[in-house]
Every structure is written in structure tokens, then in C-alpha cells.
């Protein structure tokens, strides 16, 4: 599976962004799709994941502000981010796994990342 993330940018605090991750490969629908983020000087951290049956996992601190969804017909997974805060500034990565997992070592395929910057 090859993944291409997009949709990042500069937004003011309180604003919204929707990230997209387009996947190629005929087995896309077999995978759990996840989002991670990495802020400067910090470890890459789990954000959200979504199985093909639409089971989800979120980092507790982001529940209610971030929503993951997927369009299997378009081979695309989305991350809707609302009420953005400066601390959400990071490079956001999409990834694919065979498990509904929250640790990055369970994800076998990664996109290139898209920068999200939230100004105060």
C-alpha cells in the first residue's frame, strides 16, 4: 500500500482543517488506517485509527475535536480537526496496519507526512 497525505497548512487557533490520505493498492480495504503526528523534538504519537468495519480508536485528549473517517470507494482516509490549538502543530502522518493498534510499530506502511501549523 502506498499512502499520500495532504491537506495540511497554516490555520489560526480555533480553526479547522481536514487532512486526506489517499491510498493506492488493491488491498487498501483490508487495512486499518491510522493517523499519527510528530511535533518538533517529540516522539511520533498516535492520533486516531479506523478499521474497515468503522471501529475507531482515538487518543483520549483529542476525542471530540478530531474525527477519523474513510471512503473506501475513493481509497481515502480523512482526519477532520476542529478547534485547533497551537499544541496541535506537528507533521501528521497516515499509516496502514493489519491491527486496530495505537502504537506506531504496528503500522507497516506510512505516508510522507503533511505539516499542520496552528498560530495563536
Amino acid at each position: 500500500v502506498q499512502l499520500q497525505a495532504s491537506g495540511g497548512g497554516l490555520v489560526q487557533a480555533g480553526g479547522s482543517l481536514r487532512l486526506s490520505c489517499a491510498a493506492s493498492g488493491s488491498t487498501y480495504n483490508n487495512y486499518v488506517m491510522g493517523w499519527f503526528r510528530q511535533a518538533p523534538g517529540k516522539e511520533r504519537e498516535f492520533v486516531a485509527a479506523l478499521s474497515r468495519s468503522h471501529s475507531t480508536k482515538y487518543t483520549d485528549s483529542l476525542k471530540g475535536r478530531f474525527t477519523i473517517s474513510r471512503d473506501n470507494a475513493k481509497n481515502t482516509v480523512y482526519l477532520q480537526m476542529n478547534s485547533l490549538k497551537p499544541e496541535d502543530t506537528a507533521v501528521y502522518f497516515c499509516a496502514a496496519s493489519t491491527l486496530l493498534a495505537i502504537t506506531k510499530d504496528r503500522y507497516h506502511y506510512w505516508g510522507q507526512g503533511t505539516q499542520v501549523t496552528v498560530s495563536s
Side-chain angles (χ1 to χ4, degrees):
V1 176
Q2 293 184 324
L3 305 174
Q4 179 76 33
S6 62
L10 174 64
V11 63
Q12 288 188 332
S16 297
L17 279 175
R18 188 176 78 158
L19 306 183
S20 300
C21 177
S24 61
S26 60
T27 59
Y28 160 79
N29 287 338
N30 293 335
Y31 287 95
V32 169
M33 300 301 296
W35 287 97
F36 288 75
R37 68 184 184 182
Q38 188 166 16
K42 294 189 176 182
E43 292 286 322
R44 191 170 299 188
E45 65 175 1
F46 173 76
V47 174
L50 175 63
S51 73
R52 60 177 176 169
S53 61
H54 299 280
S55 296
T56 57
K57 285 188 181 291
Y58 290 93
T59 290
D60 286 344
S61 61
L62 299 177
K63 279 182 182 177
R65 293 197 300 123
F66 287 17
T67 302
I68 189 170
S69 61
R70 67 194 289 169
D71 184 335
N72 289 338
K74 295 182 178 179
N75 284 6
T76 301
V77 64
Y78 304 98
L79 184 68
Q80 177 68 43
M81 305 185 295
N82 298 327
S83 302
L84 283 162
K85 304 175 182 181
E87 51 264 43
D88 294 319
T89 294
V91 178
Y92 284 72
F93 298 89
C94 59
S97 173
T98 56
L99 300 171
L100 188 58
I102 64 171
T103 55
K104 55 184 182 292
D105 63 333
R106 296 292 188 176
Y107 286 78
H108 316 293
Y109 304 98
W110 291 84
Q112 85 289 2
T114 185
Q115 175 71 46
V116 171
T117 303
V118 184
S119 63
S120 57

